[in-house]
Amino acid sequence: MFYSVKRKTIVAVIAVLVLAAVCMTGMANEQVSAVFNNRSLRKVPVYGVDTQEKVVALTFDAAWGADKTQGILDILDKHGVDGTFFLVGFWIDKYPEMVKKIAESGCDIGNHSNNHLNMSTLSKDKIAEELDYVTNQVKDLTGAQTKFFRPPFGDYNNALLEVVEEKGMIGVQWTVDSLDWKGLSATEILSRVNKGVKNGSIILFHNNSDNILEALPLVIANLKNQGYKMVKLSELIYQDAYSIDSNGIQHKVS
């Protein structure tokens, strides 16, 4: 009798343990599934473009100072290349004539927010205000519609990118950060660009960094020697029928 009861008890315990293991496995699978679903729902801006062509985009963020901007435009014109300037609202307010000159040069103008804030900390309504101000200012001064938005500090989240899309723009980051804002020398900036550049790269500069006027001609000459064509973002980025992978690389959808 004792043996029989003990055996039944052991069987019952094993059954309970098996059931618990099944339940735990189910919960774990649900958690894993949730993680992957969240990852699949995560939005990312464009960091670069998947292309077989040797083409790249030179981009310049403008938030503080403007005394080197005309020099940048002159260099681009001299070498026959185009660029894209991402403008902050308070910069536009301070330098409206320079905004017009950028547009007249043929370069693209992108939206860089009104106040250069960490956009992921803002409500959707506040994000919309930040974007609308720049869009409206650029349109009033140049007649052009901003097609691209670059978040200050590279800081973004789903809410920001959702508003960007609602406003008819594409969120853009960069493939190569020149780190020119750190005061790097012209040759150091050239080295960083040269090491990171590839087909479809978006290269980040700043319009008023210490050595931009010395570095830019070196960068352009080096890229040309490698066979690269430098274009504005509207000529590089796909604006319809595209997908973006988890690394922010844009792919054309046929």
Side-chain angles (χ1 to χ4, degrees):
M1 176 69 71
F2 174 77
Y3 174 76
S4 175
V5 171
K6 185 176 181 181
R7 184 173 63 181
K8 289 180 180 179
T9 301
I10 293 173
V11 170
V13 170
I14 291 174
V16 170
L17 291 174
V18 170
L19 180 61
V22 170
C23 290
M24 290 299 292
T25 300
M27 291 175 63
N29 287 338
E30 289 180 3
Q31 291 172 345
V32 170
S33 176
V35 168
F36 278 103
N37 286 335
N38 286 337
R39 286 180 179 175
S40 67
L41 293 175
R42 178 176 175 266
K43 291 180 175 293
V44 292
V46 177
Y47 281 78
V49 176
D50 176 38
T51 177
Q52 297 302 310
E53 298 182 42
K54 291 185 73 68
V55 59
V56 298
L58 307 179
T59 67
F60 305 86
D61 288 0
W64 292 276
D67 55 293
K68 299 178 183 178
T69 307
Q70 184 60 57
I72 293 173
L73 295 176
D74 292 342
I75 292 170
L76 296 177
D77 180 62
K78 177 181 178 181
H79 292 274
V81 302
D82 289 314
T84 300
F85 288 78
F86 283 94
L87 308 183
V88 170
F90 57 71
W91 192 93
I92 294 173
D93 292 340
K94 192 170 183 179
Y95 307 107
E97 294 306 311
M98 188 55 68
V99 177
K100 294 177 183 178
K101 288 183 179 180
I102 293 173
E104 290 167 0
S105 75
C107 290
D108 281 345
I109 294 179
N111 192 318
H112 199 34
S113 84
N114 184 27
N115 292 296
H116 207 268
L117 305 174
N118 287 96
M119 302 293 282
S120 68
T121 66
L122 306 180
S123 68
K124 279 194 168 184
D125 287 342
K126 184 60 178 176
I127 290 171
E129 289 178 14
E130 287 281 318
L131 302 187
D132 287 344
Y133 186 86
V134 173
T135 295
N136 293 336
Q137 288 295 85
V138 171
K139 190 170 185 178
D140 288 346
L141 288 168
T142 71
Q145 180 70 37
T146 53
K147 299 177 182 179
F148 309 106
F149 172 78
R150 173 172 284 160
F153 315 108
D155 175 42
Y156 68 90
N157 59 6
N158 276 17
L160 170 61
L161 295 180
E162 286 167 4
V163 176
V164 169
E165 292 171 2
E166 290 167 6
K167 298 297 180 180
M169 292 184 287
I170 298 173
V172 177
Q173 296 278 66
W174 54 84
T175 317
V176 181
D177 187 350
S178 70
L179 293 182
D180 57 346
W181 59 274
K182 285 191 171 183
L184 269 60
S185 69
T187 54
E188 288 172 327
I189 292 171
L190 171 63
S191 177
R192 284 192 59 81
V193 173
N194 192 45
K195 287 179 181 178
V197 72
K198 57 186 177 181
N199 292 4
S201 286
I202 299 170
I203 305 171
L204 171 64
F205 301 101
H206 295 79
N207 74 305
N208 218 45
S209 58
D210 291 345
N211 298 303
I212 186 62
L213 297 182
E214 293 75 27
L216 190 55
L218 300 179
V219 169
I220 292 173
N222 183 62
L223 291 175
K224 281 189 173 183
N225 287 338
Q226 295 183 60
Y228 286 106
K229 181 180 180 182
M230 285 147 276
V231 301
K232 47 194 175 184
L233 278 178
S234 58
E235 296 174 328
L236 175 69
I237 286 183
Y238 304 128
Q239 297 178 54
D240 54 40
Y242 66 86
S243 64
I244 301 177
D245 64 30
S246 59
N247 294 315
I249 303 302
Q250 195 183 42
H251 303 265
K252 187 69 175 177
V253 176
S254 57

